[in-house]
């Protein structure tokens, strides 16, 4: 018996299921466009084997280890590195056993579907992961990882990826991207300009990072003008290495449009570490508008990912640092927050700003009305906790009636879990086809329109929206 | 092939579909009660032809032109008038072609369903609007508009409208309503008292408007008492011309219940243009409570439409003025905001206040609990962006379990797009019948109850709630 | 014809319906675990008959009388007691007739389903309640209430209740619980520690209550240390009488973690009645963290029920007092609000805190992400207005994908309407089975997993989560 149901996520009513399956079959083999994610560019550059099953599936995946932690297993028991770089001497097999024993915790979650998909379609397994099968699973996957077909580049090809974007700090030298490009390998791995560390005065090391930005670009980043010029230079460097987009992760969506004098003053304060929390927020907001203006010139597509209250648990952050599963969404306003930026550049048809949210209440109330009016705005797909069947359903149901399909940008997997990439795109394609089938069966869409849309949502829109 | 599926919006599962279709067939031919909308009373008074297809379907409909604008077409290219009254010399055929070329943008939106319904059921067209059919469409519709059967009164009758309410400023002389009443025509077109321009200190011309209100009524509107008396006089004038309701569009739902002295002081400040934003808000809130008190005396049904952050784009507002598709919803509190008014008059069984929202999160959390307790409150149907199949579904699912059906008021189309009126009521009737069918099929409602409710939601509740 | 459809709440599509029915049949006869509710312990202690149908079904049930009030019937006409203890001399038969005449108002609400279920399955009625059947209904139910099979203990047994928790003030002497325990009856009725009256400085009589708390425990509750010790003593007393949980009803979810000095100062201010609203809120928040710390020691499961804005109507509160159907939910933040408590004790695997909400937007955005990370947190079932088919559906759809099933705690009925208890558990079991069936039919869950989960959600999780 296969681990995954061939008709999974299709509506159970027979006519609807047939409609959904038909649409899905027309798009299931399309190449994957992955315009936003967090895979490690060194994988493609070095092309060495993944160490072991625990390091592949458990240790780096905060979706996975947070669920285990929520039931009382400690991060140490799962081998998650501590903030000081140390690490419990947990055996990878022991980690794998803990994971397997608790695999039932994932019932009904997208993680279960992604993992089962990877086990079956990447590794050829066909029994359920349990305490009883844990050992055989480990051995099987570990053996496969030693084969050339399971090296990163081979998997990239097997996954039918046409292009994949990584996310890279403004100070990254992009050596891995350079290495990939010069290697003669045909895979396309492009960087994304993520300047949080040099635009957020509240990040540790902000001042030093700005200094380093100056060194890398030869600009005087102690002045506002030089600081902006340095950003332009780094963006050009990223573009030269294939980047088509920037990405901005802020706690809230505030934007600002200060005059030069005020911006200068604020920048100087931030640089001295004297910005209050409100001023830090204002500076981040000003930088969103500055980045939008740069995008008008250099064409980078701008992504805004606001609304995560990072590192919610102080003790966990102190002991283990960032990205440990304790980033919790919060209410996020867009209507007031984006107005300064939109008044400045929102009507520019040449600008493309893609909005994401962790606050689903904004879909119908704020995001779809905004994207259904401003030429510069488009909506990104459901993000993070909402990258799931129900999440995609709610997104489509809440946005389509107001801004249609063509103010959205297809799917992106946004993952660092390499083997989940085909699974995630598959879930998105199935979920979208299920939604389209529902529209056809209720007379809201014609069959031919649904077919075109299935292709658009699976492939074309992502490629065009991100200028890939 | 028809443009619209005869079974559209019915659930695909065969038993459910039969149930929904059966309910729908029992209400599809009921007359239309249109208790809240924005059609132009001069249409019924003058009964002259609509100028051309672009002027009928594109130029005045912000649902339509905002979608086109969101994809980079300019308001000038669509012939939308500028704030200074000027207008690009765009040819109506060129506008129509732009619209037709981009008709795919509306896939999955209620606009597509309303437009297809109008094309087919009002104009007898049976091919899809595309670039290829644009010219033939234009010619066909333009020719029809010249026929007597397509004059406003003939359409009113063909649409089976029993009564339609317009929305009219407090300073409107209601000449068109008078003309209709005196014309001998049997159509019933009633005004609605919309006093925003004389209760909102932040609207341009507020002070002049209050002065004009005094001139029209012979009251001294420079005093608080005279100002209130003038409102009473205008309401009486509206009632004499058939009005049964007032309507209030405020950015938020704040109400207030100041003592006379404080209200007087606030009014004087507002009149001098010295009210701060908070004071302007307080004054608007006070006026909601005053209007509710007047309703207790004169019986006008009070509608509150809060939550739209109007004219979001400053450049668009400066160039083109109001109602250009850039009104964006925002979070709206009701629980705290309505308390002052409800403490004053909420338990009055003779008062009727109908609440609307653009913040769907309020349905289950605030609005249904409030309407399920206060005798004075009822819930209006899904509004604006939520006047759609999914919007109606979410509304019923989120409110029925808490406040039942009988604290809701049936449908209103709220439109200035005349030809969409039958389509909108049809969508509402189908959507409600689909919902009722679901309740019957899951044992939550008996068939006979569903039949009665289908009639109530399509006809009786609107008529009774608005005292029409 | 039965009043209730045997297949109610199962999805209409035949395959899904069969799946849901199969799951339901495996759990429908499981004993009821009722870990949180508001039945009166004196019922079980005294075991005397319920006075009459109106006193059983209408007068004490705010779900029922609020709907009648919302349509213009007065609380006096329904025999609801006034704040001063007086009561209109309304005849119970007259109350019953008003209720029967207006029973159609409940169409589509859970109240209708619970009432029909009680009428049919508890009292053996099989005709619909209407004005025409009101008299016969009254006579029938009244006669049944006189039979021994309809005394509280007999109903408890017939309802197949394994254990039921009541909710009891910190100052309650638990005499009824003692009486039940000593009576030799096998029913298990346990108290729950609800200290709102001695932790909320804004409740009438707070200072006197704290003094009384001192008298009952022999601790000096005029000091912060003595006050905490008194809580510990009362908790121990409750535990000795069977309690396994505490419960906390706060307007918002704020928590605090002050140092001892600051807490002491705040406590002294509160005791003198000098706490500002913000300080009262801070004190309540501090006490949540203190209670969590005590739970770590004594093992009581902690329930937090925030978000109800109690007694919304001032005139109704003045005339009739608390719990009169005018408690309205409001927006409730959890992410920031719970942080102080979670930083203090959130990572303790021995602590169990169960979160409830009246703000459904928090499910996916805040509560599931929090419960899916912190070992101390679990999610309570949909509460109050959301204890319904649609409420349960939205809860599962919004939380399962993020925190799975095993960070939730099964169902609790939370009711004072005794006869509705089997109906409410039945609705929950059916709704959960319908949800599980949907997961199976869409390949998101295996049949064997669904069977295990049906049992877990109906029985095991509640029992284990509440340590019963």
């Amino acid at each position: 018996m296969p681990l995954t149901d061939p008709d999974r996520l299709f509506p159970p009513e027979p006519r609807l299921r047939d409609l959904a399956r038909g649409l899905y079959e027309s798009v299931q083999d399309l190449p994957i466009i992955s315009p936003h994610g967090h895979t490690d560019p060194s994988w493609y550059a070095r092309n060495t084997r993944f160490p072991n099953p625990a390091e592949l599936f458990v240790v780096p995946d905060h979706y996975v280890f947070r669920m285990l932690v929520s039931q009382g297993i400690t991060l140490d028991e799962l081998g998650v590195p501590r903030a000081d770089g140390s690490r419990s001497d947990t055996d990878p097999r022991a980690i794998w056993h803990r994971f397997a024993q608790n695999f039932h915790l994932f019932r009904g979650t997208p993680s279960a579907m992604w993992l089962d998909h990877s086990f079956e379609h990447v590794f050829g397994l066909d029994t359920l992961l349990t305490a009883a099968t844990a050992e055989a699973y480990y051995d099987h996957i570990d053996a496969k990882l030693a084969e050339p077909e399971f090296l990163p580049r081979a998997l990239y090809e097997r996954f039918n990826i046409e292009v994949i974007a990584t996310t890279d700090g403004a100070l990254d030298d992009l050596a891995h991207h350079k290495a990939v490009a010069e290697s003669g390998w045909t895979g396309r791995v492009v960087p994304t300009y993520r300047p949080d560390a040099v635009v957020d005065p509240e990040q540790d090391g902000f001042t030093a990072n700005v200094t380093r930005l100056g060194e890398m670009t030869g600009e005087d980043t102690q002045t506002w003008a030089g600081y902006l010029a340095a950003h332009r230079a780094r963006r050009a460097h990223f573009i030269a290495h294939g980047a088509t987009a920037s990405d901005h992760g802020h706690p809230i969506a505030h934007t600002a449009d200060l005059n030069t004098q005020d911006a200068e003053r604020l920048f100087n304060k931030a640089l001295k570490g004297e910005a209050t929390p409100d001023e830090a927020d204002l500076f981040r907001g000003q930088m969103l508008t500055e980045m939008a203006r740069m995008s008008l010139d250099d064409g980078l597509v701008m992504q805004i990912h606001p609304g995560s209250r990072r590192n919610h648990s102080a003790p966990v952050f102190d002991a283990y640092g960032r990205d440990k599963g304790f980033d919790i969404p919060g209410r996020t306003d867009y209507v007031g927050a984006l107005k300064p930026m939109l008044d400045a550049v929102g009507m520019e048809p040449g600008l493309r700003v893609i909005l994401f949210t962790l606050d689903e209440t904004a879909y119908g109330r704020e995001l779809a009305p905004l994207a259904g009016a401003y030429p510069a705005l488009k909506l990104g797909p459901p993000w993070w906790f909402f990258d799931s069947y129900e999440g995609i359903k709610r997104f489509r149901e809440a946005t389509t009636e107001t801004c249609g399909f063509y103010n959205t940008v297809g799917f992106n997997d946004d993952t660092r879990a390499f083997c989940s990439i085909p699974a995630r795109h598959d879930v998105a394609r199935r979920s979208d086809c299920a939604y389209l089938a529902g529209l056809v069966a209720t007379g809201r869409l014609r069959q031919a329109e649904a077919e075109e849309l299935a292709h658009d949502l699976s492939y074309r829109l992502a490629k065009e929206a991100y200028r890939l």
Side-chain angles (χ1 to χ4, degrees), chain A residues 156-207:
Chain A
Y156 174 104
E157 285 159 11
R158 175 137 69 104
F159 294 168
N160 196 18
I161 298 173
E162 182 174 314
V163 55
I164 193 165
T166 60
T167 303
D168 311 272
L171 305 179
D172 193 289
D173 63 8
L174 306 182
H176 297 304
H177 291 86
K178 196 154 174 272
V180 170
E182 291 172 355
S183 71
W185 178 52
T186 56
R188 185 171 168 210
V189 180
V190 302
T192 300
Y193 189 64
R194 173 94 168 215
D196 296 2
V198 290
V199 306
D200 180 359
E202 294 184 314
Q203 283 212 11
D204 279 352
F206 169 72
T207 304

Side-chain angles (χ1 to χ4, degrees), chain A residues 404-466:
Chain A
F405 290 101
Y406 295 104
N407 285 305
T408 68
V409 302
F411 181 68
N412 53 75
D413 53 72
D414 197 1
T415 193
R416 59 202 81 211
F418 193 43
C419 289
S420 77
I421 289 175
R424 289 173 192 244
H425 286 264
D426 185 70
V427 167
R429 289 174 186 186
R430 287 171 181 271
S431 302
D432 277 334
C433 288
Y435 175 69
L436 294 171
L439 296 189
V440 171
T442 52
R444 288 184 275 171
L445 204 63
R446 294 168 186 89
Q447 174 68 24
E449 294 171 331
E451 286 165 15
E452 193 176 310
L453 277 163
H455 186 273
D456 289 345
L457 303 182
S458 301
Y459 182 80
R460 188 176 67 89
L461 287 181
K463 193 164 169 164
E464 291 185 8
Y466 282 87

Side-chain angles (χ1 to χ4, degrees), chain A residues 51-371:
Chain A
N52 61 57
E55 289 287 337
L56 185 63
F57 282 114
V58 183
V59 179
D61 190 340
H62 57 71
Y63 287 79
V64 169
F65 64 67
R66 78 194 304 277
M67 178 68 93
L68 301 171
V69 166
S70 81
Q71 294 275 321
I73 300 169
T74 67
L75 287 166
D76 278 352
E77 289 171 323
L78 296 168
V80 175
R82 300 201 197 92
D84 62 9
S86 74
R87 203 168 152 166
S88 70
D89 56 351
T90 313
D91 178 65
R93 274 188 196 267
I95 296 168
W96 187 260
H97 273 275
R98 277 185 198 105
F99 171 52
Q101 269 164 358
N102 289 284
F103 194 55
H104 64 281
L105 298 178
F106 297 95
R107 286 173 183 169
T109 70
S111 291
M113 187 164 281
W114 300 330
L115 289 162
D116 280 338
H117 187 281
S118 302
F119 295 156
E120 178 178 350
H121 293 283
V122 182
F123 290 96
L125 290 154
D126 61 2
T127 55
L128 186 59
L129 179 62
T130 62
T133 61
E135 198 68 15
Y137 250 79
Y138 190 96
D139 291 337
H140 179 92
I141 294 172
D142 203 43
K144 287 287 183 197
L145 291 177
E147 298 179 9
E149 291 78 9
F150 288 80
L151 294 179
R153 291 185 184 177
L155 288 176
Y156 174 104
E157 285 159 11
R158 175 137 69 104
F159 294 168
N160 196 18
I161 298 173
E162 182 174 314
V163 55
I164 193 165
T166 60
T167 303
D168 311 272
L171 305 179
D172 193 289
D173 63 8
L174 306 182
H176 297 304
H177 291 86
K178 196 154 174 272
V180 170
E182 291 172 355
S183 71
W185 178 52
T186 56
R188 185 171 168 210
V189 180
V190 302
T192 300
Y193 189 64
R194 173 94 168 215
D196 296 2
V198 290
V199 306
D200 180 359
E202 294 184 314
Q203 283 212 11
D204 279 352
F206 169 72
T207 304
N209 291 339
V210 172
T211 302
R212 177 87 188 101
L213 182 70
E215 292 162 6
M216 290 180 84
T217 56
E219 300 287 347
D220 176 7
T221 55
Q222 304 307 301
T223 71
W224 174 238
Y227 170 73
L228 294 180
H231 272 293
R232 276 190 213 98
R234 289 309 293 159
R235 292 168 65 103
H237 181 72
F238 272 64
I239 291 168
H241 286 77
T244 68
S246 70
D247 183 31
H248 309 271
H250 291 194
I252 56 176
H254 271 184
T255 63
D257 190 19
L258 304 173
N259 62 41
T260 305
Q261 232 173 4
D262 288 346
E264 214 155 17
R265 222 172 352 234
L266 184 63
F267 173 68
N268 290 333
K269 232 174 151 182
L271 215 52
K272 288 187 210 147
E274 294 171 359
T276 65
D278 279 355
E279 287 169 335
D281 184 58
L282 186 64
F283 184 74
R284 288 188 296 261
Q286 177 66 22
M287 285 311 296
L288 286 180
T289 306
E290 298 293 346
M291 288 287 149
R293 287 210 179 89
M294 292 183 200
S295 279
L296 262 175
D297 292 335
D298 65 22
L300 281 188
V301 173
M302 186 173 171
Q303 300 167 87
I304 305 180
H305 281 92
S308 182
R309 313 296 145 91
R310 305 267 171 183
N311 314 309
H312 189 265
S313 168
V316 172
F317 179 66
D318 290 345
Y320 297 92
R322 299 176 170 269
D323 298 323
K324 290 303 173 290
F326 285 79
D327 299 336
I328 310 289
R331 273 201 291 268
T332 307
D333 166 62
Y334 292 85
V335 179
L338 294 178
K339 187 167 164 44
M341 182 183 78
L342 292 173
D343 277 347
V345 294
M347 297 303 291
E348 295 285 351
L351 176 64
R352 180 152 311 141
V353 179
I354 301 176
L355 299 174
F356 293 80
T357 194
L358 292 171
D359 182 350
E360 292 182 301
T361 68
Y363 283 155
R365 186 183 57 211
E366 305 180 25
L367 291 173
L370 288 167

